[in-house]
Amino acid sequence: MNRVDVDVALEVASHEGLVRQTYKDSKGILTWSIGVTSASGHDVDRYIGKPQSLEHCLAVFAWLLENKYAPAVRKAFGGRDLTQAQFAAALSFHYNTGAIGRASWVKKWLAGDVEGARKAFMDWRKPADIIPRREKERDLFFDGKWSNDGKITEYTRLTAKMTPDWKSGRRVDARAALTAALSSGAPVPAAPRPAKAPPAPVPAPTMTEYEVRALQRQLHDALYAEVGFVDGKIGTRTRAALFAFQTDNALPATGEMNSETRAFILAHGVPTRQLAPERESATAASLAEAGRLPPAAQAALKGGFWAKVQAVLGAIAMALYGAWERSGDALSSLSPFKEDLLAAGPWLFFAAVIGISLVLWLRSRNAVDQTVRAVRLGRDTGA
């Protein structure tokens, strides 16, 4: 077959990550889309701070597979007809290593040494975090075992150093966009830099206080906790929430209500923010271990622990006092009523200690539970 089709492209993409604007990879090289650099012949500098549509990102990726990587794979196998699975595995290997032409496993396989080729495939195992990918490629080539589910991981935010924010990863369905890109048969979509400076964007109309309040409520309900209070004012926190929303939805990230953002909200509303997967299983213990439990919640957690200890000690003291009172020759049954009333003092004291301790423990537990719920819902400091 040796043809780049949708399943082949999805298999390669499933081992990579997608970022719609230009970022810096682990070696500081400017990269865009799915591992595209300017060395490919497509200038990625133009996408700095300018997220592109999913369709454009995948169209360039598909072009790169067919025109830059697939020919080298076909040449390495001497034009031999591979199965779809074998071609996908070899293309993924070459997209990651660029070494299909000198890989010993290819030569062993062509010579008929299948077992030797299987073993040599795993010689390409550095750095260590590449091993799971290499194992999937090996299993696909030699056993026909596919690993993609039609989705790829997209990272929607960058850090201040222009590296991907790994916590912003979300799974997106790429099959339709890749199908369209591969079926068009067109050359790489060009997005050349304009010869002349583009006209200044038309500023969006000034928002009224009522409109600002409505926007803040929408952002808050969509889990953009950065927005803060609904006060009808575009302040630092509202701008932070707008910036996060624009980044998540591939809009020009300015932190201001620009015309593109206004048009998007009018057409689609404010989509609910995709939360990081680890938030769904957050617990007080996991948050404390990660150092993400706020000081007030930490104090509540410690206070609840000591309240439980105090309640237990109070219960033990009450039991010991009761045992001591009932020892002897049961004089309490002969005591006047007045003495019985006075003897109730210690019991009331112990009961009060236990009751107060239990109340404090329940209040602290509620405070910690509220913090955990806020994290799970993205209501603390952002998703």
Side-chain angles (χ1 to χ4, degrees):
M1 295 180 64
N2 300 7
R3 184 171 63 88
V4 179
D5 58 20
V6 175
D7 289 319
V8 169
L10 278 172
E11 187 68 23
V12 178
S14 69
H15 299 308
E16 303 280 343
L18 168 69
V19 183
R20 299 194 192 190
Q21 60 181 307
T22 301
Y23 65 96
K24 291 183 179 179
D25 68 5
S26 59
K27 296 181 180 179
I29 299 173
L30 291 180
T31 310
W32 169 76
S33 182
I34 301 179
V36 180
T37 66
S38 294
S40 68
H42 189 77
D43 187 3
V44 303
D45 292 26
R46 70 189 76 176
Y47 304 125
I48 295 176
K50 298 177 181 179
Q52 301 297 302
S53 67
L54 178 64
E55 290 73 18
H56 182 63
C57 292
L58 295 183
V60 175
F61 168 66
W63 165 82
L64 192 60
L65 285 181
E66 182 56 52
N67 292 277
K68 299 293 181 178
Y69 287 89
V73 174
R74 296 181 184 116
K75 180 180 179 181
F77 284 91
R80 186 166 175 174
D81 195 19
L82 304 177
T83 67
Q84 183 190 35
Q86 288 171 337
F87 183 62
L91 186 60
S92 177
F93 173 88
H94 185 50
Y95 198 82
N96 175 246
T97 65
I100 194 72
R102 56 188 173 88
S104 62
W105 70 267
V106 175
K107 297 177 175 61
K108 289 178 182 291
W109 186 83
L110 288 171
D113 184 6
V114 177
E115 287 306 313
R118 179 190 287 270
K119 179 181 285 187
F121 200 103
M122 293 308 298
D123 290 343
W124 299 82
R125 54 191 299 119
K126 293 182 180 180
D129 55 7
I130 204 65
I131 294 177
R133 172 177 181 163
R134 201 65 70 236
E135 290 174 338
K136 291 177 181 178
E137 292 168 342
R138 177 201 61 194
D139 294 344
L140 178 59
F141 188 91
F142 294 98
D143 304 318
K145 183 179 178 182
W146 297 83
S147 62
N148 83 82
D149 60 356
K151 295 182 178 180
I152 58 178
T153 301
E154 177 186 0
Y155 298 97
T156 60
R157 295 192 298 272
L158 300 183
T159 67
K161 297 181 179 180
M162 278 187 71
T163 57
D165 181 353
W166 305 117
K167 295 181 180 179
S168 70
R170 64 179 181 182
R171 301 287 285 168
V172 296
D173 193 330
R175 182 174 289 276
L178 272 175
T179 300
L182 291 166
S183 62
S184 66
V188 57
R193 293 172 178 167
K196 298 181 180 180
V202 178
T206 303
M207 299 177 69
T208 66
E209 181 179 344
Y210 173 80
E211 289 175 322
V212 173
R213 286 180 179 274
L215 172 65
Q216 289 172 327
R217 289 193 188 95
Q218 284 181 294
L219 289 169
H220 180 270
D221 293 343
L223 306 184
Y224 289 92
E226 298 95 330
V227 73
F229 297 107
V230 177
D231 57 7
K233 300 176 182 178
I234 298 289
T236 302
R237 299 196 64 175
T238 301
R239 289 191 180 92
L242 264 175
F243 183 88
F245 164 72
Q246 290 164 337
T247 302
D248 287 349
N249 293 279
L251 295 166
T254 62
E256 304 290 343
M257 178 54 84
N258 49 43
S259 55
E260 294 90 346
T261 303
R262 179 183 288 271
F264 182 92
I265 293 177
L266 288 174
H268 308 286
V270 179
T272 301
R273 190 180 206 175
Q274 296 290 325
L275 300 179
E278 59 267 20
R279 285 178 173 267
E280 299 178 0
S281 57
T283 63
S286 66
L287 292 177
E289 183 178 353
R292 294 181 57 195
L293 204 60
Q298 292 182 29
L301 198 62
K302 292 179 181 178
F305 171 77
W306 289 113
K308 285 192 290 185
V309 171
Q310 185 171 289
V312 170
L313 292 177
I316 293 174
M318 178 183 283
L320 292 175
Y321 177 76
W324 178 76
E325 278 288 287
R326 292 187 176 278
S327 63
D329 49 356
L331 292 176
S332 59
S333 59
L334 303 177
S335 300
F337 175 75
K338 179 174 65 175
E339 293 179 1
D340 286 341
L341 185 61
L342 292 174
W347 294 100
L348 293 174
F349 170 75
F350 288 127
V353 169
I354 295 173
I356 292 173
S357 299
L358 290 175
V359 169
L360 292 174
W361 172 65
L362 290 173
R363 290 186 62 183
S364 66
R365 180 178 177 181
N366 182 60
V368 174
D369 287 345
Q370 287 181 350
T371 298
V372 174
R373 281 196 297 271
V375 171
R376 290 181 176 179
L377 294 175
R379 299 290 192 194
D380 52 341
T381 57

